[in-house]
């Protein structure tokens, strides 16, 4: 996308001065947005970039009157096409939303109704705001579905959101947001949960809308995405813009330390082993001795030459409720060498998580075999696997789901220790403190419940728990996909540091190509349950041989100054 949207010097579509939003009652009100200013002109994209809690979504919602009943919103100026939006009543906001400002929000709050077909959903938006006949509306709905790249719109118009994939659902949402050709579209993280190829289609669609004169407010934490879309970027932190300006200037010549930190944290194209965050965790000799001792107890130090974990021609078939079969994994083989990382990349439904579960011994392959340390693993009865289970640990995308909600962090880690029973209370406490220090957390977190931790802290507790058993292999299933970019950077750096320190082997599963490229030595590319391409990560990223891999790689957003609009 090399063109620059031409913006004449006319009045902005939306103008905001000194926007302030706080939550709660009078004196206890907590400020979330502290005085931000921006204009967006027709055909222009302003991206507000920030991490969780920065206030970026609250800013977006204040433009459509959806900040919620406990929000106090004030502004010196808040206009849409010259009309003052301050003091809008609930019914006035309803008229603005959809008709004059289209919005695609990340959460389900205002998303598609599961009980209605998507045709009906979009048709309602038209019926409420226009006097077109049913036939005119149907033609318009089909046109919208086509515009947003939904294949076979005549069939899709009759389907409910639950029958659509994530990518199609997101497109249907955008189609409904565009039903009235609103002058402004607010898109809050519109591609966060999507695979690279679908994400690229959505971004291309948004780009086309700008060409047609729509003003776009894009909210994102992903600088790579923003670099392709935005004409101007505002970097938000703690409710304020710490830096804003033309996209090229912000990306190529950032002024604020926070912006520099966000840019450094983007893993795409950063060589294996280079640090992504400035704050690295250093492992003390004492912690090193503690973890090394734990691995000797579990026999993790004694190893035969050859790969530590091998999968041979694995196959897994699931039965659908209607009796038909779905082949989840078909003939997949892999070998994980000691002290290295094998990345498995693939889009949703490619079978990568099923492979992880077979490697962990949680799912029985229908054919093929997983072996661990040169011995059978998947074919063993569970009671013979159990004594060796501690040697293969796992870190999941959502650690909360795998923690017992009644336990404190200390309890979770104590439970994972190898010989907790043989240790005195003081020794156990000491082990827990060392584990927390190893992952860069303070000892007082031991007393807290995981629900009270941030996403980044929870993910570190999950890593500490994986280390507690002194494993050889850690299976990482989308371990950073739910994290902000700077926290993601710290977690990836930590995994790298631990691998070097303890010769750990990782099976690393992700749909994020930038992350996989940064962490992997070897790589498997999966699609529809099969391995499409395998080799060293460098070889595949630099010279993919398969069409599917080429398409996947070209779809991945990269943070390149040459891709910024108006360049290259």
């Amino acid at each position: 996308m090399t063109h620059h949207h031409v913006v004449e010097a006319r009045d902005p579509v939306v103008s905001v001065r000194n926007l302030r939003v706080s939550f709660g009652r009078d004196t206890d009100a907590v400020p979330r947005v502290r005085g931000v200013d921006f204009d967006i002109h027709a055909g222009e994209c302003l991206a507000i970039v920030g991490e969780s809690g920065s206030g970026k979504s609250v800013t977006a919602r204040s433009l459509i009157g959806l900040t919620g009943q406990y929000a106090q919103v004030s502004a010196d100026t808040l206009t849409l096409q010259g009309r003052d939006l301050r003091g809008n009543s609930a019914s006035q906001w309803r008229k603005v939303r959809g008709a004059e400002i289209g919005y695609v929000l990340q959460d389900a709050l205002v998303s598609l109704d599961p009980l209605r077909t998507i045709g009906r959903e979009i048709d309602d938006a038209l019926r409420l705001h226009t006097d077109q006949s049913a036939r005119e509306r149907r033609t318009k709905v089909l046109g919208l579905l086509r515009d947003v790249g939904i294949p076979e719109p005549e069939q899709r118009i009759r389907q409910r959101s639950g029958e659509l994939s994530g990518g199609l659902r997101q497109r249907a949402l955008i189609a409904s947001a565009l039903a009235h050709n609103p002058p402004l579209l607010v898109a809050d993280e519109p591609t966060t949960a999507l695979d690279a190829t679908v994400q690229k289609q959505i971004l291309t669609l948004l780009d086309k809308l700008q060409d047609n004169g729509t003003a776009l407010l894009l909210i994102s934490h992903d600088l790579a995405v923003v670099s392709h879309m935005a004409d101007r970027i505002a970097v938000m932190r703690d409710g304020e813009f710490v830096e804003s300006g033309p996209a090229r200037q912000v990306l190529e010549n950032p002024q604020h330390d926070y912006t520099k930190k966000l840019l450094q944290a983007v893993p795409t194209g950063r060589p294996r082993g280079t640090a992504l965050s400035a704050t690295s965790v250093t492992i003390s000799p004492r912690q090193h001795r503690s973890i090394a001792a734990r691995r000797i107890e579990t026999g993790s130090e004694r190893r035969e030459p050859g790969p530590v974990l091998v999968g041979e021609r694995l196959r897994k078939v699931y039965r659908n409720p209607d009796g038909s079969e779905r082949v989840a994994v078909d003939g997949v083989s892999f070998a994980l060498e000691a002290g290295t990382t094998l990345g498995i990349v693939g889009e949703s439904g490619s079978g990568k998580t099923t492979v992880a579960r077979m490697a962990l011994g949680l799912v029985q392959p229908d054919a093929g075999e997983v072996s661990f340390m040169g011995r059978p693993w998947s074919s063993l009865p569970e009671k013979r696997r159990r004594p060796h289970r501690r040697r293969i640990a796992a870190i999941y995308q959502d650690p909360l789901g795998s923690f017992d909600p009644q336990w404190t962090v200390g309890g979770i880690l104590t439970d994972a220790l190898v010989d907790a029973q043989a240790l005195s209370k003081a020794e156990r406490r000491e082990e827990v403190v060392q584990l927390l220090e190893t992952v860069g957390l303070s000892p007082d977190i031991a007393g807290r419940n995981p629900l009270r931790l941030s996403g980044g802290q929870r993910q570190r507790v999950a890593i500490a728990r994986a280390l507690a058993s002194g494993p050889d292999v850690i299976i990482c299933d989308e371990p950073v996909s739910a994290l902000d970019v700077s926290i993601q950077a710290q977690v990836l750096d930590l995994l790298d540091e631990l691998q070097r320190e303890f010769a750990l082997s990782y099976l690393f599963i992700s749909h994020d190509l930038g992350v996989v490229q940064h962490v992997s030595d070897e790589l498997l590319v999966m699609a529809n349950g099969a391995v499409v391409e395998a080799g060293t990560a460098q070889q595949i990223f630099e010279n993919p041989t398969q069409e599917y891999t080429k398409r996947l790689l070209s779809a991945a957003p990269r943070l390149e100054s040459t891709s910024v609009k108006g360049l290259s």
Side-chain angles (χ1 to χ4, degrees), residues 354-462:
T354 306
V355 170
R357 294 178 68 77
M358 288 194 268
L360 279 163
L362 300 176
V363 165
Q364 205 52 38
D366 295 328
E369 162 77 75
V370 178
S371 51
F372 175 53
M373 295 293 174
R375 302 197 183 89
W377 176 250
S378 58
S379 58
L380 288 181
E382 177 57 24
K383 70 169 189 295
R384 293 205 25 222
R385 252 197 312 252
R386 196 166 297 124
H388 302 286
R389 269 211 175 278
R390 316 192 145 278
R391 298 176 64 183
I392 304 185
I395 306 166
Y396 300 102
Q397 176 174 359
D398 164 36
L400 252 193
S402 61
F403 293 154
D404 185 324
Q406 329 252 275
W407 287 15
T408 61
V409 168
I412 289 167
L413 296 181
T414 306
D415 181 59
L417 288 170
V418 183
D419 280 335
Q421 295 77 26
L423 302 174
S424 70
K425 203 165 177 184
E427 287 170 327
R428 284 200 295 250
R429 195 175 306 124
E430 174 68 0
E431 290 278 347
V432 165
V433 167
Q434 290 188 6
L435 283 165
L436 289 170
E437 283 177 356
T438 304
V439 297
L441 290 173
S442 77
D444 58 346
I445 279 188
R448 284 165 63 186
N449 183 294
L451 285 167
R452 308 218 63 83
L453 302 178
S454 70
Q457 289 172 321
R458 282 203 287 262
Q459 206 53 300
R460 285 162 187 248
V461 172

Side-chain angles (χ1 to χ4, degrees), residues 214-235:
T214 307
L216 179 62
L217 175 63
L218 177 65
I219 305 286
S220 182
H221 69 276
D222 188 333
L223 282 158
V225 165
V226 162
S227 71
H228 290 258
M229 295 295 301
D231 299 295
R232 285 182 304 113
I233 295 175
V235 178

Side-chain angles (χ1 to χ4, degrees), residues 26-297:
D26 318 324
T27 49
D28 302 327
V30 180
R32 290 289 298 283
V33 177
R34 313 160 187 262
V36 299
D37 305 342
F38 57 90
D39 294 331
I40 312 175
H41 288 80
E44 181 184 42
C45 173
L46 167 69
I48 299 181
V49 180
E51 300 190 286
S52 309
S54 60
K56 61 186 190 301
S57 288
V58 178
T59 303
R61 285 164 172 278
S62 56
L63 293 184
I64 51 177
L66 282 180
T67 42
Q69 59 185 52
Y70 298 113
Q72 301 169 25
V73 182
S74 72
D76 297 347
T77 307
L78 183 60
T79 59
L80 177 68
Q81 294 184 313
R83 206 174 76 246
D84 196 346
L85 298 176
R86 295 175 304 170
N88 264 4
S89 67
S91 68
Q92 284 169 316
W93 273 122
R94 276 198 296 277
K95 288 197 183 78
V96 170
R97 275 200 298 275
E100 299 174 62
I101 303 180
Y103 55 97
V104 182
L105 299 189
Q106 185 186 3
D107 59 16
L109 178 92
V110 287
S111 297
L112 301 167
D113 179 342
L115 301 176
R116 295 197 295 184
T117 64
I118 62 167
R120 174 77 199 283
E121 183 98 16
I122 301 169
D123 181 69
D124 275 0
L126 292 169
R127 215 183 51 209
L128 292 171
H129 296 284
T130 68
D131 45 14
Q132 294 175 336
S133 70
R135 177 188 262 150
E136 287 171 324
R137 293 199 308 267
R138 183 184 159 86
T139 308
K140 170 90 176 168
V141 170
L142 287 170
L144 282 165
L145 293 179
R146 230 171 260 120
D147 289 347
V148 298
I150 290 185
E152 300 146 1
E154 286 81 3
Q155 279 76 51
R156 301 292 184 186
I157 199 170
R158 296 196 292 271
Q159 290 183 314
R160 293 186 171 81
S161 63
E163 301 170 67
L164 302 177
S165 68
L168 287 174
R169 231 179 320 204
Q170 195 64 310
R171 285 182 228 188
L173 264 179
I174 293 173
S176 114
L178 298 177
H180 300 281
N181 309 324
L184 173 68
L185 180 65
V186 175
D188 187 355
E189 300 275 11
T191 62
T192 304
L194 304 177
D195 291 324
T197 47
V198 180
Q199 169 167 287
K200 186 177 186 183
Q201 292 161 343
I202 301 286
L203 296 177
T204 305
L205 166 67
L206 292 175
D207 202 58
K208 214 161 69 195
L209 292 172
Q210 280 173 262
D211 286 345
N212 297 335
T214 307
L216 179 62
L217 175 63
L218 177 65
I219 305 286
S220 182
H221 69 276
D222 188 333
L223 282 158
V225 165
V226 162
S227 71
H228 290 258
M229 295 295 301
D231 299 295
R232 285 182 304 113
I233 295 175
V235 178
M236 195 167 197
R237 179 178 164 201
D238 296 334
E240 297 173 321
F241 289 170
V242 295
E243 178 162 1
S244 68
R248 179 178 181 170
Q249 181 187 310
V250 172
L251 295 170
E252 291 189 358
N253 188 14
Q255 299 302 303
H256 196 280
D257 283 345
Y258 181 68
T259 312
K260 292 175 188 166
K261 184 177 114 177
L262 289 183
L263 286 163
Q264 189 197 342
V266 176
T268 316
R270 299 287 297 283
R272 175 106 169 83
T274 48
L276 300 173
S277 73
T279 50
S280 69
V281 173
T282 47
I283 296 169
S284 70
R286 189 187 66 172
Q287 291 159 277
H288 191 280
R289 280 195 300 277
S290 146
I291 288 187
R294 211 172 284 139
R295 295 190 66 198
I296 288 163
E297 282 165 38

